Amino acid sequence: MNNMNQMMKQVKKMQEQMMKAQEELVNKTVEGTAGGGVVTVVANGHKKIMSIAIKPEAVDPEDVEMLQDLILTAVNDALNKVDDVANQDMGKFTGGMKIPGLF
């Protein structure tokens, strides 16, 4: 019985550490880029886009589709990097297992 209580305390401690790590992700930012840096997107660890920067040379009124593609690529790059950061931070607790809904 004592063993079970000890294990439950460890589980509770790990849950608290995981929640803290998830909360701290909001303070982490990543940068996604496209077109050699003409479009830059900054996202936080909760997958919120914080800013988008577009250099003037990326804007061609004759080729709006190219700018749209660059923005899309930069956003996806940033969001993929958020996943990498979250997996790295949370992987300490899950042992590398992917737990649906955790992050």
Side-chain angles (χ1 to χ4, degrees):
M1 188 66 158
N2 194 21
N3 227 5
M4 182 64 109
N5 286 337
Q6 183 68 23
M7 189 168 74
M8 293 303 291
K9 285 181 184 179
Q10 289 175 335
V11 167
K12 184 176 180 181
K13 183 179 178 182
M14 187 176 84
Q15 285 175 323
E16 290 170 357
Q17 290 173 331
M18 287 175 64
M19 287 180 65
K20 183 179 180 190
Q22 281 182 312
E23 290 170 5
E24 289 174 352
L25 281 172
V26 77
N27 296 320
K28 293 187 177 187
T29 59
V30 297
E31 188 175 279
T33 62
V38 294
V39 175
T40 303
V41 173
V42 176
N44 72 13
H46 284 184
K47 294 189 176 182
K48 287 198 175 241
I49 303 301
M50 307 304 291
S51 68
I52 297 175
I54 302 170
K55 292 185 178 178
E57 59 265 29
V59 181
D60 179 355
E62 301 296 318
D63 194 3
V64 174
E65 288 180 1
M66 174 63 89
L67 179 56
Q68 292 169 338
D69 288 344
L70 288 170
I71 293 169
L72 187 61
T73 299
V75 167
N76 286 328
D77 184 38
L79 295 180
N80 286 333
K81 288 179 180 177
V82 168
D83 287 341
D84 291 345
V85 168
N87 287 332
Q88 182 179 6
D89 286 1
M90 301 307 290
K92 294 181 270 190
F93 304 107
T94 63
M97 291 185 312
K98 304 271 188 210
I99 300 175
L102 185 59
F103 45 87

